[in-house]
Amino acid sequence: MIKTVAVPMSPLLEHTLPKAQFADAYEIALNDPNQDIWDITYKLFTEGQQDWIKALMGLRNLLVTPFGLKTGPMNDGEQVLQERIGIFKVYEKTAHEVLLGENDRHLDFRISVLKDTANATLTVTTKVEMHNALGRAYITVIEPFHRMIVKSMIRQAKKKGAF
């Protein structure tokens, strides 16, 4: 069962996007709390991607192109690890957490995938820092879809035995 929880105070989330105006977090029980966090994160973003999510992302890309927003991976010289999971840059990783995201002219976002070994839980958190009216409008429109997509990805990855 996926639970909506408070944004955790993790080492990586604590210092990222300090002016974030939007954040949410979802938690689920882990079958194996000793499973590698990189493996969990990779499976979440690959095995959790259903066709309807891919179709929504395609529609999103079509709709935002006229506004000059990013629609896929870009090399903009940011200081990140030389790794990606799907379309997301990997900013940092520890033994218990992976921090992914992207920066754009309208907003910056980070996704934390955090494993709590003691409680055998996985928490997926999103933080968003909006830069302008376009960013605020964008979040207003996509927020309901975001919540649906994150929960669906967690549920689908769990169903496929990813964690």
Side-chain angles (χ1 to χ4, degrees), residues 80-156:
V80 295
L81 298 177
Q82 295 300 312
E83 298 168 327
R84 298 188 83 85
I85 294 182
I87 63 169
F88 302 118
K89 293 178 185 177
V90 177
Y91 282 83
E92 295 183 71
K93 63 182 178 177
T94 67
H96 297 282
E97 185 173 17
V98 177
L99 188 67
L100 308 105
E102 196 68 60
N103 292 344
D104 207 343
R105 63 186 197 115
H106 67 309
L107 58 78
D108 300 340
F109 71 92
R110 298 295 179 271
I111 303 166
S112 160
V113 181
L114 176 67
K115 177 179 73 165
D116 182 341
T117 307
N119 294 314
T121 58
L122 182 74
T123 305
V124 179
T125 303
T126 305
K127 284 179 77 173
V128 180
E129 189 173 288
M130 296 164 251
H131 302 307
N132 50 38
L134 180 57
R136 290 185 292 280
Y138 180 83
I139 288 299
T140 299
V141 171
I142 66 111
E143 183 180 347
F145 300 103
H146 160 78
R147 294 180 193 281
M148 213 171 39
I149 289 169
V150 173
K151 288 178 186 177
S152 177
M153 286 178 64
I154 295 169
R155 191 172 14 266
Q156 182 70 10

Side-chain angles (χ1 to χ4, degrees), residues 16-28:
T16 192
L17 304 182
K19 297 177 185 175
Q21 300 98 334
F22 172 85
D24 64 4
Y26 302 96
E27 181 182 272
I28 193 163

Side-chain angles (χ1 to χ4, degrees), residues 14-105:
E14 208 171 328
H15 302 290
T16 192
L17 304 182
K19 297 177 185 175
Q21 300 98 334
F22 172 85
D24 64 4
Y26 302 96
E27 181 182 272
I28 193 163
L30 287 171
N31 292 330
D32 177 7
N34 296 314
Q35 186 177 357
D36 180 70
I37 189 62
W38 185 255
D39 187 46
I40 291 171
T41 304
Y42 181 79
K43 288 178 178 177
L44 175 65
F45 285 95
T46 57
E47 296 179 21
Q49 285 274 344
Q50 296 170 311
D51 288 341
W52 69 268
I53 295 172
K54 292 175 187 173
L56 268 180
M57 292 304 293
L59 177 60
R60 175 249 179 231
N61 290 344
L62 184 68
L63 294 174
V64 304
T65 298
F67 298 100
L69 303 183
K70 291 182 182 179
T71 58
M74 295 191 163
N75 182 5
D76 54 13
E78 289 182 72
Q79 186 71 345
V80 295
L81 298 177
Q82 295 300 312
E83 298 168 327
R84 298 188 83 85
I85 294 182
I87 63 169
F88 302 118
K89 293 178 185 177
V90 177
Y91 282 83
E92 295 183 71
K93 63 182 178 177
T94 67
H96 297 282
E97 185 173 17
V98 177
L99 188 67
L100 308 105
E102 196 68 60
N103 292 344
D104 207 343
R105 63 186 197 115

